[in-house]
Amino acid sequence: MPPTADWDAIVLAGGRGSRLGGVDKAALELDGETLLARTLRAVDGAGRVIVAGDPRPVPKDVVVVQEEPRFSGPAAAIGAAMAEVRAPYVFLAGCDHPFLADAVDLLLDSASGDGVIAIDDGGRRQYLMSVLDSSALRASIAAQPTLVDLSVRALLVPLELMEIPIPVRAALDIDTWHDQEKALAEGNHDG
């Protein structure tokens, strides 16, 4: 049964942006909208939206959590955010995929079992673009000796995830200034 009617979303927005010289990725703009705002709009069908990090500003209906210790990595951020998840499925997203909206319905409509994960046109898993069974994710979190500095890949290894090919543009993430330029060019193709 697809979780379309009953899902929450976790948006990771607390990284250091080291490859961008320390710039807050969530605050970068594309077509006059921050990456965080674009991501929040993409997951606005969620029952609850939990942002892990310390972004500003956020809409008042968004729950904000912080991993402990700060900057202890994405798995720690997911662990902190899962305390706020109520729905049976959770959509896991990074704030640096400006075209995430192109993949949301595709992933939600395919979700079953432990969950689904997006794969890009090169066959690579996009760990921060997945819809996961909340119980399965909680079990994996509980099984880890520590979430500090653990990768999302390592956190999701115990889950049996179905791979879902997504549109090329949806997989574009902004980690470098070159990625930002590519995203701006894609955005200009929108019409």
Side-chain angles (χ1 to χ4, degrees):
M1 173 183 95
T4 305
D6 203 4
W7 57 284
D8 289 344
I10 293 174
V11 176
L12 300 189
R16 295 180 200 262
S18 5
R19 287 184 278 178
L20 288 167
V23 169
D24 177 10
K25 281 202 272 189
L28 286 176
E29 289 194 9
L30 182 65
D31 297 332
E33 192 177 25
T34 66
L35 292 184
L36 180 61
R38 290 176 72 93
T39 304
L40 294 177
R41 186 165 43 84
V43 298
D44 70 358
R48 303 183 93 196
V49 176
I50 302 104
V51 173
D54 51 6
R56 291 169 297 278
V58 294
K60 61 178 181 274
D61 58 336
V62 170
V63 177
V64 178
V65 299
Q66 182 73 58
E67 72 275 12
E68 286 295 329
R70 190 161 182 234
F71 299 126
S72 53
I78 292 166
M82 280 304 290
E84 299 293 336
V85 168
R86 307 282 181 263
Y89 279 88
V90 61
F91 194 114
L92 200 55
C95 72
D96 60 352
H97 287 96
F99 304 107
L100 174 67
D102 293 358
V104 170
D105 289 342
L106 183 63
L107 292 168
L108 287 170
D109 291 345
S110 304
S112 62
D114 283 353
V116 296
I117 189 164
I119 57 167
D120 64 20
D121 62 332
R124 290 177 298 275
R125 286 181 161 206
Q126 300 294 308
Y127 291 97
L128 292 181
M129 202 179 297
S130 52
V131 180
L132 309 170
D133 177 90
S134 298
S135 299
L137 181 54
R138 283 191 177 95
S140 179
I141 289 169
Q144 305 302 323
T146 181
L147 295 178
V148 174
D149 296 327
L150 185 70
S151 70
V152 177
R153 183 190 63 74
L155 183 62
L156 300 187
V157 160
L159 280 61
E160 289 186 35
L161 302 176
M162 183 169 51
E163 295 181 341
I164 306 295
I166 57 168
V168 172
R169 187 174 89 149
L172 177 66
D173 65 335
I174 297 180
D175 288 324
T176 65
W177 292 114
H178 177 69
D179 295 339
Q180 170 78 348
E181 289 168 18
K182 284 185 354 195
L184 288 168
E186 282 295 330
N188 291 333
H189 289 66
D190 280 347

